[in-house]
Amino acid sequence: MKVLVTGGLGYIGSHTCVQLIAAGHQPIVIDNLSNSKLEVLNRVEAISGVRPVFHQGDVRDEAFLAGVFAEYDVQAVIHFAGLKAVGESVAKPLEYYDNNVNGSLVLARAMRSAGVKNIIFSSSATVYGDPQEVPITEDAPTGATTNPYGRSKYMVEECFRDLFAAEDDWSITLLRYFNPVGAHSSGTMGEDPQGIPNNLMPFIAQVAVGRREKLAVFGDDYPTPDGTGVRDYVHVVDLADGHLAALNALTDKAGLHIYNLGTGKGSSVLDMVHAFSAACGHDVAYEVQPRRPGDIAECWASTAKAEQDLGWKAQRDVSQMTVDTWRWQSQNPQGYQE
Ligand code: NAD
Ligand code: WQD
């Protein structure tokens, strides 16, 4: 099937394109290159043997989208495009609401005009805020997020909920990712953050490869087994396969479908440091610092619903996540070079 992939040159989008092609689908990629490089297309082609169709453009540009829908017989959309840095969203709320909320609304409008009513949206476990209990099930309360990025994801979920209530011939799937990490097993594709990484795994990887001196561990006084924050890290290729599973199970199945994509297992910051040290063969230097404002103690997914309805279950463990990240980071110490 022809699948429009917005933000398809980004970290999760690029891995999803590879899995889509491997499954015989045809990704039509759009991206404004605000957080990615054209070199990614070469890497997707080298892995897949197929160069995806690519159009540079913005999801907020309705005329651009109309042109893409007119040119290709798109059956479903996977919508990754957006901004994702929590700290930056506090400083630039208007940019975040414009890209993430307005971008999703313009896309939905263009889809309706084109008669395409299947969409899979990249949501986030951040919509659960600080969970009352773990593992988190999909019916847990949402909305109590603490930053504009998280609120933008929640708002888009609510917009799609209202859209489905008004037009029940849509198939809308909200996938709530936990903490995506890892890289393609070839070592040629991975996460390439610009500037200082905000997230744990890319920061550890840059310490391991010598780009940064040491990791700051944000707090060791949480009510967790070793005092550091616990998260549900999920391999990006498993995540990509989750999109494929959703596409297969839900395209043309009208409804508002909501799934967690995680492993169901929690790992602490120090678990990740130790796993990475084993993967790269030397200790990763770290220093404990105060808690980061807005962080929660722990969060991991209930995976039962995705397993039951989509037949999807993450296959790769933390060891595989760190080994693959290290292969990518050590082969591409400065990320993608054009
Ligand atoms: P990414 O930044 O690597 O990819 C996003 C891509 O979208 C980039 O290539 C960027 O250039 C493009 N883009 C941004 N704004 C655009 C616009 N207005 N028009 C067209 N293209 C645009 O991020 P990612 O990690 O691959 O995340 C993909 C999606 O998943 C995002 O929506 C993100 O919020 C969501 N998500 C990510 C995580 C995570 O930790 N990586 C967790 C939960 C949810
Ligand atoms: C993980 C753990 C930190 C960096 C964020 C977003 C969420 C989603 C995924 C997009 C925490 C600790 C981190 C560092 C550290 N993104 N840490 N030193 O905060 O769980 O989730 O990314 O949707 O919405 O909020 O991920 O990787 O930043 O942190 O000690 O330099 O690592 O305190 O316990 P987080 P993270």
Side-chain angles (χ1 to χ4, degrees), residues 54-92:
F54 173 66
H55 292 276
Q56 183 173 347
D58 198 294
V59 288
R60 293 166 294 177
D61 181 345
E62 199 164 347
F64 163 70
L65 294 177
V68 173
F69 282 116
E71 190 169 348
Y72 306 96
D73 182 21
V74 170
Q75 283 159 278
V77 176
I78 307 183
H79 178 32
F80 294 107
L83 303 178
K84 64 164 180 176
V86 170
E88 186 186 59
S89 78
V90 176
K92 299 180 174 176

Short mmCIF file of all heavy atoms in Angstrom, two decimals, residues 54-92:
data_model
loop_
_atom_site.label_atom_id
_atom_site.label_comp_id
_atom_site.label_asym_id
_atom_site.label_seq_id
_atom_site.Cartn_x
_atom_site.Cartn_y
_atom_site.Cartn_z
N PHE A 54 10.47 11.13 -2.28
CA PHE A 54 10.61 12.17 -1.25
C PHE A 54 10.19 13.53 -1.78
O PHE A 54 10.59 13.91 -2.88
CB PHE A 54 12.06 12.25 -0.76
CG PHE A 54 12.29 13.42 0.18
CD1 PHE A 54 11.68 13.43 1.44
CD2 PHE A 54 13.07 14.50 -0.20
CE1 PHE A 54 11.86 14.52 2.30
CE2 PHE A 54 13.26 15.59 0.67
CZ PHE A 54 12.66 15.60 1.92
N HIS A 55 9.41 14.26 -1.00
CA HIS A 55 9.09 15.66 -1.31
C HIS A 55 9.41 16.51 -0.09
O HIS A 55 8.89 16.23 1.00
CB HIS A 55 7.61 15.82 -1.66
CG HIS A 55 7.25 15.18 -2.96
ND1 HIS A 55 7.43 15.79 -4.18
CD2 HIS A 55 6.76 13.95 -3.24
CE1 HIS A 55 7.03 14.98 -5.15
NE2 HIS A 55 6.62 13.85 -4.61
N GLN A 56 10.25 17.51 -0.30
CA GLN A 56 10.54 18.41 0.81
C GLN A 56 9.39 19.39 0.96
O GLN A 56 9.00 20.06 0.00
CB GLN A 56 11.86 19.16 0.56
CG GLN A 56 12.22 20.06 1.73
CD GLN A 56 13.61 20.69 1.59
OE1 GLN A 56 14.41 20.27 0.74
NE2 GLN A 56 13.89 21.68 2.40
N GLY A 57 8.84 19.48 2.15
CA GLY A 57 7.74 20.41 2.39
C GLY A 57 7.26 20.30 3.81
O GLY A 57 7.74 19.47 4.59
N ASP A 58 6.28 21.14 4.12
CA ASP A 58 5.85 21.30 5.51
C ASP A 58 4.41 20.82 5.66
O ASP A 58 3.56 21.10 4.81
CB ASP A 58 5.95 22.79 5.87
CG ASP A 58 5.96 23.01 7.37
OD1 ASP A 58 4.93 22.73 8.01
OD2 ASP A 58 6.99 23.47 7.88
N VAL A 59 4.13 20.13 6.76
CA VAL A 59 2.75 19.65 6.97
C VAL A 59 1.77 20.80 7.23
O VAL A 59 0.56 20.59 7.17
CB VAL A 59 2.62 18.63 8.13
CG1 VAL A 59 3.22 17.29 7.76
CG2 VAL A 59 3.22 19.16 9.42
N ARG A 60 2.29 21.98 7.49
CA ARG A 60 1.38 23.12 7.68
C ARG A 60 1.02 23.78 6.35
O ARG A 60 0.26 24.75 6.34
CB ARG A 60 2.03 24.14 8.61
CG ARG A 60 2.20 23.63 10.03
CD ARG A 60 3.14 24.49 10.83
NE ARG A 60 4.50 24.41 10.30
CZ ARG A 60 5.55 25.09 10.76
NH1 ARG A 60 5.39 25.91 11.77
NH2 ARG A 60 6.74 24.94 10.23
N ASP A 61 1.55 23.26 5.24
CA ASP A 61 1.33 23.85 3.92
C ASP A 61 0.28 23.00 3.20
O ASP A 61 0.57 21.97 2.59
CB ASP A 61 2.67 23.84 3.17
CG ASP A 61 2.58 24.45 1.78
OD1 ASP A 61 1.45 24.62 1.27
OD2 ASP A 61 3.65 24.72 1.21
N GLU A 62 -0.98 23.47 3.27
CA GLU A 62 -2.10 22.65 2.76
C GLU A 62 -2.03 22.46 1.24
O GLU A 62 -2.37 21.39 0.72
CB GLU A 62 -3.44 23.28 3.17
CG GLU A 62 -4.58 22.28 3.08
CD GLU A 62 -5.84 22.72 3.83
OE1 GLU A 62 -5.78 23.67 4.63
OE2 GLU A 62 -6.88 22.09 3.58
N ALA A 63 -1.54 23.49 0.52
CA ALA A 63 -1.44 23.37 -0.94
C ALA A 63 -0.38 22.31 -1.31
O ALA A 63 -0.58 21.51 -2.23
CB ALA A 63 -1.07 24.73 -1.55
N PHE A 64 0.71 22.32 -0.57
CA PHE A 64 1.75 21.30 -0.79
C PHE A 64 1.17 19.90 -0.57
O PHE A 64 1.36 18.99 -1.38
CB PHE A 64 2.93 21.57 0.16
CG PHE A 64 3.88 20.42 0.34
CD1 PHE A 64 4.71 20.01 -0.69
CD2 PHE A 64 3.94 19.73 1.55
CE1 PHE A 64 5.59 18.94 -0.52
CE2 PHE A 64 4.81 18.66 1.73
CZ PHE A 64 5.63 18.26 0.69
N LEU A 65 0.45 19.74 0.53
CA LEU A 65 -0.13 18.42 0.84
C LEU A 65 -1.13 18.00 -0.25
O LEU A 65 -1.15 16.84 -0.67
CB LEU A 65 -0.84 18.44 2.20
CG LEU A 65 0.05 18.66 3.43
CD1 LEU A 65 -0.81 18.73 4.69
CD2 LEU A 65 1.09 17.55 3.57
N ALA A 66 -1.93 18.97 -0.72
CA ALA A 66 -2.93 18.64 -1.75
C ALA A 66 -2.23 18.13 -3.00
O ALA A 66 -2.69 17.17 -3.65
CB ALA A 66 -3.76 19.89 -2.07
N GLY A 67 -1.09 18.74 -3.32
CA GLY A 67 -0.32 18.30 -4.49
C GLY A 67 0.18 16.86 -4.33
O GLY A 67 0.12 16.05 -5.27
N VAL A 68 0.65 16.54 -3.14
CA VAL A 68 1.15 15.18 -2.89
C VAL A 68 0.00 14.18 -2.98
O VAL A 68 0.11 13.12 -3.61
CB VAL A 68 1.86 15.11 -1.51
CG1 VAL A 68 2.23 13.67 -1.16
CG2 VAL A 68 3.10 16.01 -1.49
N PHE A 69 -1.13 14.51 -2.37
CA PHE A 69 -2.27 13.58 -2.43
C PHE A 69 -2.78 13.43 -3.87
O PHE A 69 -3.25 12.35 -4.25
CB PHE A 69 -3.41 14.06 -1.51
CG PHE A 69 -3.17 13.75 -0.04
CD1 PHE A 69 -3.03 14.77 0.88
CD2 PHE A 69 -3.09 12.43 0.40
CE1 PHE A 69 -2.82 14.49 2.23
CE2 PHE A 69 -2.88 12.14 1.74
CZ PHE A 69 -2.74 13.17 2.66
N ALA A 70 -2.68 14.51 -4.65
CA ALA A 70 -3.15 14.43 -6.04
C ALA A 70 -2.23 13.53 -6.88
O ALA A 70 -2.67 12.87 -7.82
CB ALA A 70 -3.21 15.84 -6.64
N GLU A 71 -0.95 13.51 -6.52
CA GLU A 71 0.02 12.77 -7.34
C GLU A 71 0.04 11.27 -7.03
O GLU A 71 0.32 10.46 -7.92
CB GLU A 71 1.42 13.37 -7.11
CG GLU A 71 2.46 12.83 -8.09
CD GLU A 71 3.77 13.61 -8.04
OE1 GLU A 71 3.81 14.71 -7.43
OE2 GLU A 71 4.75 13.12 -8.62
N TYR A 72 -0.23 10.91 -5.78
CA TYR A 72 -0.11 9.49 -5.39
C TYR A 72 -1.43 9.00 -4.82
O TYR A 72 -2.15 9.73 -4.16
CB TYR A 72 0.99 9.32 -4.33
CG TYR A 72 2.31 9.90 -4.75
CD1 TYR A 72 2.68 11.18 -4.36
CD2 TYR A 72 3.17 9.18 -5.58
CE1 TYR A 72 3.88 11.73 -4.76
CE2 TYR A 72 4.38 9.73 -5.99
CZ TYR A 72 4.73 11.00 -5.57
OH TYR A 72 5.91 11.55 -5.98
N ASP A 73 -1.69 7.73 -5.04
CA ASP A 73 -2.92 7.12 -4.54
C ASP A 73 -2.67 6.64 -3.10
O ASP A 73 -2.56 5.45 -2.82
CB ASP A 73 -3.28 5.95 -5.47
CG ASP A 73 -4.57 5.30 -5.06
OD1 ASP A 73 -5.38 5.95 -4.35
OD2 ASP A 73 -4.76 4.12 -5.41
N VAL A 74 -2.59 7.62 -2.19
CA VAL A 74 -2.23 7.31 -0.80
C VAL A 74 -3.41 6.63 -0.09
O VAL A 74 -4.54 7.09 -0.18
CB VAL A 74 -1.86 8.62 -0.05
CG1 VAL A 74 -1.72 8.38 1.44
CG2 VAL A 74 -0.58 9.22 -0.63
N GLN A 75 -3.11 5.53 0.61
CA GLN A 75 -4.19 4.84 1.33
C GLN A 75 -4.17 5.12 2.83
O GLN A 75 -5.19 5.00 3.50
CB GLN A 75 -4.11 3.34 1.07
CG GLN A 75 -4.65 2.96 -0.29
CD GLN A 75 -4.11 1.63 -0.74
OE1 GLN A 75 -3.01 1.52 -1.24
NE2 GLN A 75 -4.91 0.60 -0.51
N ALA A 76 -2.99 5.44 3.35
CA ALA A 76 -2.90 5.70 4.79
C ALA A 76 -1.76 6.68 5.05
O ALA A 76 -0.84 6.80 4.23
CB ALA A 76 -2.66 4.41 5.56
N VAL A 77 -1.85 7.35 6.17
CA VAL A 77 -0.83 8.34 6.56
C VAL A 77 -0.25 7.93 7.91
O VAL A 77 -1.01 7.57 8.82
CB VAL A 77 -1.45 9.74 6.67
CG1 VAL A 77 -0.43 10.76 7.17
CG2 VAL A 77 -2.02 10.18 5.31
N ILE A 78 1.08 7.97 8.01
CA ILE A 78 1.72 7.84 9.33
C ILE A 78 2.34 9.20 9.63
O ILE A 78 3.19 9.68 8.86
CB ILE A 78 2.79 6.73 9.37
CG1 ILE A 78 2.20 5.40 8.88
CG2 ILE A 78 3.32 6.56 10.80
CD1 ILE A 78 3.18 4.22 8.95
N HIS A 79 1.89 9.80 10.70
CA HIS A 79 2.22 11.22 10.94
C HIS A 79 3.24 11.38 12.08
O HIS A 79 2.88 11.45 13.25
CB HIS A 79 0.92 11.96 11.27
CG HIS A 79 1.09 13.40 11.59
ND1 HIS A 79 2.06 14.20 11.02
CD2 HIS A 79 0.40 14.23 12.44
CE1 HIS A 79 1.97 15.43 11.51
NE2 HIS A 79 0.98 15.46 12.37
N PHE A 80 4.53 11.45 11.66
CA PHE A 80 5.62 11.65 12.63
C PHE A 80 6.02 13.12 12.76
O PHE A 80 6.66 13.49 13.74
CB PHE A 80 6.88 10.91 12.17
CG PHE A 80 6.79 9.42 12.15
CD1 PHE A 80 6.69 8.71 10.95
CD2 PHE A 80 6.82 8.69 13.33
CE1 PHE A 80 6.63 7.33 10.92
CE2 PHE A 80 6.76 7.30 13.31
CZ PHE A 80 6.67 6.62 12.11
N ALA A 81 5.75 13.93 11.72
CA ALA A 81 6.34 15.28 11.67
C ALA A 81 5.93 16.11 12.88
O ALA A 81 4.76 16.17 13.24
CB ALA A 81 5.91 15.98 10.39
N GLY A 82 6.92 16.73 13.49
CA GLY A 82 6.64 17.59 14.64
C GLY A 82 7.93 17.91 15.36
O GLY A 82 9.00 17.40 15.00
N LEU A 83 7.82 18.76 16.34
CA LEU A 83 8.97 19.11 17.18
C LEU A 83 8.86 18.33 18.48
O LEU A 83 7.76 18.07 18.96
CB LEU A 83 8.98 20.61 17.45
CG LEU A 83 8.99 21.51 16.21
CD1 LEU A 83 8.95 22.98 16.62
CD2 LEU A 83 10.20 21.23 15.33
N LYS A 84 10.02 17.98 19.09
CA LYS A 84 9.93 17.01 20.20
C LYS A 84 10.80 17.33 21.41
O LYS A 84 10.94 16.46 22.28
CB LYS A 84 10.29 15.62 19.67
CG LYS A 84 11.72 15.52 19.17
CD LYS A 84 12.17 14.08 19.01
CE LYS A 84 13.60 14.01 18.52
NZ LYS A 84 14.14 12.66 18.43
N ALA A 85 11.42 18.49 21.48
CA ALA A 85 12.31 18.75 22.62
C ALA A 85 11.54 19.45 23.75
O ALA A 85 11.07 20.58 23.60
CB ALA A 85 13.50 19.59 22.18
N VAL A 86 11.43 18.75 24.87
CA VAL A 86 10.61 19.24 25.98
C VAL A 86 11.07 20.62 26.45
O VAL A 86 10.27 21.55 26.57
CB VAL A 86 10.66 18.23 27.15
CG1 VAL A 86 10.03 18.80 28.41
CG2 VAL A 86 9.97 16.93 26.74
N GLY A 87 12.38 20.78 26.71
CA GLY A 87 12.90 22.05 27.23
C GLY A 87 12.67 23.20 26.24
O GLY A 87 12.23 24.29 26.62
N GLU A 88 12.93 22.92 24.96
CA GLU A 88 12.73 23.94 23.93
C GLU A 88 11.26 24.37 23.86
O GLU A 88 10.95 25.54 23.59
CB GLU A 88 13.19 23.38 22.58
CG GLU A 88 13.18 24.38 21.45
CD GLU A 88 13.52 23.74 20.11
OE1 GLU A 88 12.80 22.81 19.67
OE2 GLU A 88 14.50 24.18 19.49
N SER A 89 10.37 23.40 24.12
CA SER A 89 8.94 23.72 24.02
C SER A 89 8.51 24.74 25.08
O SER A 89 7.57 25.50 24.89
CB SER A 89 8.09 22.45 24.11
OG SER A 89 7.95 21.99 25.45
N VAL A 90 9.22 24.73 26.22
CA VAL A 90 8.90 25.70 27.28
C VAL A 90 9.31 27.10 26.81
O VAL A 90 8.60 28.08 27.06
CB VAL A 90 9.64 25.31 28.59
CG1 VAL A 90 9.41 26.36 29.67
CG2 VAL A 90 9.19 23.93 29.06
N ALA A 91 10.42 27.18 26.10
CA ALA A 91 10.91 28.48 25.61
C ALA A 91 10.17 28.94 24.36
O ALA A 91 10.08 30.14 24.09
CB ALA A 91 12.41 28.38 25.33
N LYS A 92 9.67 27.99 23.56
CA LYS A 92 9.05 28.34 22.27
C LYS A 92 7.67 27.69 22.12
O LYS A 92 7.44 26.90 21.19
CB LYS A 92 9.94 27.86 21.12
CG LYS A 92 11.33 28.47 21.10
CD LYS A 92 12.10 27.90 19.92
CE LYS A 92 13.44 28.57 19.73
NZ LYS A 92 14.22 27.95 18.64
#
